[in-house]
Amino acid sequence: MKARGFYNIAADCAERRSGEGGVAVALVPEDGRGEAWTFAELRERARQAAYGLRRTGLKRGQRFLLKLPNGLEFPAAFLGGIILGAIPIPVSTLLTASEMRFLKEDSGARLVLEDPALVRRWFSGPALSGSLKTRASDPAFWLYTSGTEGRPKAVIHAHRSIPAHDARNRLWLDLRKGDVVFNTSALNWSYALTCGFLDALRGGASSVIFSGKADPEKILRTIQARRVTVFLSVPGIYRRLTECLKKKPSLSRCLRSVRVALSAGEKLPPEIRARFRKASGLTLREGLGMTEHSVYLVQPKGRRVVEGSCGRSLAGRKVTILREDLKPVRPGEVGILASHRSCAGLMLGYHRRPEEEKKVFRKDWFLSGDFAYRDAKGNFFYVGRRDDVITAGGYRISPMEVEAVLNRYPAVRESAVTGVEISSGKTIVLGHVAVKKGRRETDFLKRAILNFSRKRLARYKTPREIVFVPELPKTSNGKVQRSLLRR
């Protein structure tokens, strides 16, 4: 799709298929009393939400914060805002009042929509007809991501970003009309909003929305009840699903309908892939993305999964690895993951962050801030975020590589590795370990874990010390927060 052409996300995802029948979105709440809408019902609810939003005084081009939990009110309000010509900004329901004040001031939002009951009342009222004609390059929605000095920054996405995912949907999701797509994450997160919701609707598939606690048995029974064919989640959830299947092997029958199982959000540890395959019979295919570009490296269907690789670039996309001077690296050399400005799925830019834009957009390239390397066959290997990569003794160390070894020790439930500066210019590797239930946190166990890692890692990668923690700090979407551990 050309950036100069006309395209509208709401017209495509909520209206184009309204005469075809079939379920568009289905809600699976914690109480088990689900609800589903056809494509025609989704279109009507979105138009009613558009009318309701207009009644609040919201106008075309104005922004509104969408602080709604996973539920059918979310897709109606999100698409309704776009029908109106406003710009939705989905945010986490876990944000505090002070965090919301910052986002409202920073974004210039005219409205904070956080009451599902209000949206429900709109469903009994009039509807706004039709969608506005927009260019593919016009802003459609914003998403907030972490910024420098602890300030979140708004990522501006154009309408064109959704059709830009078509190659990914063919080769990674293997998306087919009539599929049932289930992403376990919150809809305010790019991974769930695009892969699990908008991409599914564009492809004529059903999107399953899950609310409540991410209980592994509930997830498995949801897959069975909704006959899910494409399942998307994060490594932490796959770890819990594996533990559940190990305790109750009979629940593996819940996965019989699943054709595709995908993982993104953070690096997939090899042991999780192996254990989940053993427990379920399904092979996880990994993807790598970020808020600014959604998932843009994938392990495609029809190819052998290369262990340790986060995937390959999609056809027609210019994704490479560069040095700081923007020159390409050699195969096997660590550099910065970069996308060409021509990638239609790439963000338009940041809101009111000119200095940060200058850092990431350099000449023809967007620099992701992720370190990686690529082999001679085109497979990319993720090393870590610039802030997470440890530099010790002159070496760059991937925390995920060290964690993969620590996680293989029988007593370790999960781990996270950080670098700690113990004196000027001297950094050591520190391992944070949560042990399995029933195992004691003793000095003997620490020594055993360290000895285990020394036999499997180069000396400069081996943790100097192990710290036991009851749980690793994580975001609501299951990502380990290494920044909190470093503090």
Side-chain angles (χ1 to χ4, degrees):
M1 167 151 313
K2 294 182 179 179
R4 294 183 219 171
F6 290 100
Y7 174 78
N8 183 276
I9 288 174
D12 189 14
C13 296
E15 302 189 358
R16 179 166 62 96
R17 298 188 180 276
S18 59
E20 299 179 7
V23 172
V25 288
L27 172 67
V28 181
E30 200 160 17
D31 62 13
R33 292 176 297 182
E35 182 181 4
W37 293 344
T38 64
F39 280 93
E41 288 170 328
L42 174 61
R43 177 191 64 179
E44 184 65 13
R45 297 291 180 261
R47 288 180 173 185
Q48 289 171 322
Y51 189 92
L53 285 166
R54 190 173 70 174
R55 288 287 301 272
T56 68
L58 192 67
K59 298 177 182 178
R60 179 177 183 174
Q62 293 181 338
R63 300 174 285 278
F64 68 103
L65 293 170
L66 187 59
K67 190 186 180 186
L68 291 176
N70 274 18
L72 294 184
E73 299 84 6
F74 185 106
F78 179 87
L79 293 170
I82 293 175
I83 288 172
L84 179 63
I87 299 174
I89 309 174
V91 297
S92 172
T93 57
L94 301 177
L95 296 180
T96 64
S98 61
E99 289 171 317
M100 288 299 296
R101 282 195 296 272
F102 170 80
L103 295 187
K104 192 171 188 298
E105 180 182 348
D106 181 73
S107 66
R110 296 302 180 95
L111 172 70
V112 178
L113 185 59
E114 56 185 338
D115 183 5
L118 173 62
V119 181
R120 281 278 166 181
R121 289 197 292 273
W122 291 340
F123 296 163
S124 60
L128 197 68
S129 61
S131 296
L132 289 171
K133 195 174 184 180
T134 54
R135 291 189 176 275
S137 57
D138 289 343
F141 62 94
W142 293 9
L143 293 170
Y144 267 90
T145 188
S146 58
T148 58
E149 301 175 355
R151 293 195 314 159
K153 54 182 182 283
V155 175
I156 303 172
H157 279 290
H159 287 271
R160 71 186 185 200
S161 65
I162 300 307
H165 301 160
D166 285 354
R168 178 185 76 192
N169 296 340
R170 288 193 304 271
L171 295 174
W172 193 50
L173 276 76
D174 188 21
L175 195 61
R176 306 170 189 177
K177 187 177 177 180
D179 267 335
V180 179
V181 180
F182 180 20
N183 190 311
T184 60
S185 304
L187 283 168
N188 65 277
W189 194 25
S190 173
Y191 179 31
L193 180 67
T194 59
C195 297
F197 174 56
L198 295 173
D199 292 349
L201 296 184
R202 174 171 166 79
S206 301
S207 175
V208 175
I209 299 171
F210 185 78
S211 66
K213 296 178 181 177
D215 176 74
E217 186 166 338
K218 180 67 179 296
I219 289 173
L220 289 168
R221 296 199 183 279
T222 296
I223 292 170
Q224 182 182 40
R226 298 305 314 181
R227 297 179 183 175
V228 171
T229 56
V230 180
F231 180 64
L232 304 96
S233 197
V234 297
I237 295 295
Y238 281 117
R239 183 190 297 277
R240 295 176 65 187
L241 289 174
T242 302
E243 292 170 354
C244 180
L245 290 170
K246 188 175 179 181
K247 292 177 183 176
K248 299 181 178 180
S250 63
L251 287 176
S252 62
R253 68 180 184 276
C254 297
L255 296 166
R256 287 174 184 167
S257 62
V258 177
R259 186 182 75 253
V260 178
L262 306 174
S263 178
E266 62 178 321
K267 179 65 182 162
L268 177 67
E271 76 276 4
I272 291 182
R273 189 201 308 274
R275 291 171 186 169
F276 185 74
R277 183 192 294 125
K278 184 177 180 181
S280 69
L282 293 167
T283 298
L284 295 176
R285 288 192 281 114
E286 190 174 0
L288 177 72
M290 60 191 307
T291 307
E292 291 88 339
H293 202 172
S294 191
V295 176
Y296 64 102
L297 294 176
V298 303
Q299 293 176 334
K301 67 174 183 177
R303 282 183 175 268
R304 181 181 63 85
V305 170
V306 177
E307 202 60 67
S309 168
C310 58
R312 304 170 65 89
S313 177
L314 295 162
R317 304 290 172 83
K318 294 182 180 179
V319 180
T320 190
I321 300 175
L322 302 174
R323 299 181 181 130
E324 291 286 352
D325 61 4
L326 303 187
K327 292 181 180 178
V329 301
R330 301 182 304 273
E333 181 183 350
V334 174
I336 305 168
L337 262 173
S339 304
H340 197 269
R341 285 178 181 265
S342 62
C343 292
L346 189 61
M347 69 170 184
L348 293 174
Y350 297 126
H351 174 62
R352 298 200 325 188
R353 297 289 190 277
E355 293 305 313
E356 295 206 35
E357 274 198 34
K358 287 179 183 177
K359 291 177 183 177
V360 298
F361 282 112
R362 292 176 55 191
K363 295 185 177 179
D364 292 332
W365 295 99
F366 167 77
L367 305 182
S368 69
D370 289 322
F371 281 123
Y373 65 92
R374 184 172 53 182
D375 65 17
K377 295 182 179 180
N379 299 298
F380 287 78
F381 295 80
Y382 184 68
V383 174
R385 290 291 298 169
R386 186 190 296 265
D387 293 341
D388 290 336
V389 171
I390 303 164
T391 302
Y395 296 96
R396 280 179 179 168
I397 302 166
S398 166
M400 279 76 70
E401 182 183 1
V402 182
E403 290 159 7
V405 171
L406 295 179
N407 291 341
R408 285 162 53 192
Y409 190 79
V412 175
R413 176 160 50 89
E414 56 183 349
S415 66
V417 172
T418 62
V420 177
E421 189 173 28
I422 58 174
S423 62
S424 180
K426 186 175 182 180
T427 298
I428 63 168
V429 179
L430 185 65
H432 306 261
V433 168
V435 300
K436 291 179 179 178
K437 190 175 180 179
R439 300 303 298 260
R440 295 178 60 194
E441 300 172 348
T442 63
D443 288 338
F444 176 81
L445 181 57
K446 281 186 183 183
R447 290 193 296 271
I449 295 171
L450 288 172
N451 288 333
F452 180 85
S453 62
R454 287 189 189 108
K455 294 176 181 178
R456 291 160 177 83
L457 290 167
R459 185 175 179 181
Y460 68 89
K461 298 178 186 176
T462 302
R464 180 74 64 86
E465 183 59 88
I466 295 294
V467 175
F468 290 123
V469 294
E471 296 286 342
L472 297 178
K474 296 177 182 176
T475 67
S476 59
N477 290 311
K479 282 188 176 182
V480 175
Q481 295 178 296
R482 292 187 183 84
S483 58
L484 294 183
L485 292 173
R486 284 195 294 269
R487 293 175 197 167

